[in-house]
């Protein structure tokens, strides 16, 4: 990436597109807009953005269709916007290769935090060879497979440890049940959702102060799980209207 990073906004609602554009411009992004899916695909191909914001509810070519076509040739970081609250739509978008999603209405502060999170993941060591990961309360020695929680070493089973490592590697990103199952248990277990719930509960008991109100291993209701970034999301400020 040279100069200012480029963001393509594929969104048919002018007010939302404008608000997003202003927020991004303030943080030194170059912004291009596309009011429908076909134009969005053309601009993505010609302008080569560093980030795509894609509304799912678009006239003509549906956002999910745009996502599918784009992912056939591009791995550009992509955040989906949706007014659709159905969990199945979010899961479908994440499994189809969206890096994150925001449900309208959302706050601009949260929107910008998600973008920073996606871009941070992108700039991490692509080989994934981190040697340690630490939060204020626990840390993992990834070289020696050892875990300490509030100063005391804890034992994780191999599955618990793999699950934690996947979440650490993808921290900040919501992972669907299917993605976690495939990464931890392998592609043949992609439908055994209860595995994830059981092991996540065990992991929370070992790592969280209050497993019933986790600070790190967060549930994305009906969609999957997300390991909180070390810096929490800022408080709600201005809010983008539904639409
Ligand atoms: Ca729309």
């Amino acid at each position: 990436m040279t100069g200012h990073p480029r963001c393509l906004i594929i969104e048919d609602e002018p007010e939302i597109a404008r608000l997003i554009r202003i927020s991004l411009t303030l943080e030194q992004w170059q912004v291009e807009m596309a009011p429908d899916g076909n134009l969005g695909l053309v601009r993505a191909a010609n302008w080569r953005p560093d980030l795509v914001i894609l509304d799912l509810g678009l006239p003509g070519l549906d956002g999910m269709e745009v996502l599918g076509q784009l992912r056939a040739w591009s791995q550009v970081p992509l955040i989906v916007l949706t007014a659709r609250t159905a969990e199945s739509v979010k899961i479908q978008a994440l499994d189809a290769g969206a890096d994150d999603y925001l449900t309208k209405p959302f706050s601009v502060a949260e929107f910008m935090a998600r973008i920073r999170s996606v871009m941070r993941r992108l700039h991490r060591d692509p080989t994934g060879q981190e040697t340690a990961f630490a939060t204020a309360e626990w840390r993992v020695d990834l070289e020696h497979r050892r875990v300490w929680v509030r100063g005391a070493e804890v034992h994780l089973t191999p599955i618990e440890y793999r699950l934690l490592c996947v979440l650490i590697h993808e921290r900040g990103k919501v992972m669907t049940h299917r993605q976690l199952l495939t990464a931890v248990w392998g592609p043949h277990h992609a439908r055994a959702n209860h595995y994830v719930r059981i092991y996540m509960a065990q992991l929370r008991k070992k790592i969280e102060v209050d497993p019933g109100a986790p600070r790190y291993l967060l549930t994305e209701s009906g969609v999957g799980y997300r390991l909180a970034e070390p810096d929490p999301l800022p408080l709600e400020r201005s809010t983008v209207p539904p639409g």
Side-chain angles (χ1 to χ4, degrees):
M1 220 187 282
T2 53
H4 296 311
R6 305 161 175 231
C7 179
L8 172 63
I9 302 167
I10 309 174
E11 163 67 272
D12 60 315
E13 284 125 298
E15 277 183 36
I16 294 178
R18 190 174 148 271
L19 189 54
I20 295 172
R21 190 191 68 207
I22 291 168
S23 311
L24 284 163
T25 307
L26 284 172
E27 299 209 4
Q28 310 298 316
W29 284 79
Q30 297 179 65
V31 178
E32 276 275 322
M33 321 267 254
D36 67 59
N38 282 315
L39 261 176
L41 285 170
V42 170
R43 295 216 170 127
N46 293 339
W47 192 53
R48 298 282 164 163
D50 302 298
L51 173 70
V52 173
I53 307 296
L54 173 65
D55 181 33
L56 287 185
L58 291 170
L61 198 60
D62 184 71
M64 204 68 84
E65 185 65 30
V66 175
L67 175 59
Q69 291 195 27
L70 192 64
R71 277 292 178 254
W73 55 268
S74 169
Q75 287 305 310
V76 60
L78 184 145
I79 298 176
V80 154
L81 302 181
T82 174
R84 304 170 193 184
T85 47
E87 271 77 33
S88 59
V89 174
K90 299 169 190 167
I91 294 169
Q92 207 186 335
L94 291 165
D95 283 340
D99 293 283
D100 209 340
Y101 67 83
L102 279 165
T103 307
K104 299 176 193 172
F106 55 82
S107 76
V108 169
E110 185 182 7
F111 173 74
M112 294 309 298
R114 292 292 176 83
I115 289 179
R116 284 192 293 274
S117 171
V118 165
M119 300 314 282
R120 262 202 302 273
R121 282 202 296 281
L122 185 74
H123 290 110
R124 249 178 248 156
D125 179 0
T127 59
Q129 297 302 310
E130 293 176 287
T131 57
F133 176 78
T135 72
E137 293 176 6
W138 50 276
R139 66 191 166 89
V140 183
D141 177 342
L142 294 161
E143 273 185 314
H144 302 100
R145 298 178 156 252
R146 296 174 73 182
V147 182
W148 289 265
V149 181
R150 291 172 287 286
E153 186 162 10
V154 296
H155 174 75
L156 300 187
T157 67
I159 293 279
E160 290 165 358
Y161 184 78
R162 272 176 73 177
L163 182 58
L164 184 59
C165 285
V166 170
L167 289 164
I168 287 172
H169 191 247
E170 301 290 346
R171 59 188 174 272
K173 179 183 191 316
V174 55
M175 298 289 288
T176 66
H177 291 98
R178 177 187 292 266
Q179 288 169 333
L180 287 171
L181 282 162
T182 304
V184 176
W185 284 270
H188 302 302
H189 294 87
R191 291 184 176 277
N193 282 2
H194 59 285
Y195 286 12
V196 181
R197 274 195 293 278
I198 291 165
Y199 280 91
M200 191 64 71
Q202 289 176 195
L203 208 46
R204 280 176 174 158
K205 274 188 203 151
K206 293 185 179 180
I207 284 175
E208 298 281 356
V209 174
D210 180 358
R215 279 190 61 189
Y216 299 100
L217 302 166
L218 308 179
T219 298
E220 290 284 324
S221 185
V223 176
Y225 298 93
R226 184 196 301 268
L227 178 64
E229 295 264 358
D231 50 336
L233 292 178
L235 295 171
E236 298 280 302
R237 277 185 227 122
S238 50
T239 297
V240 173

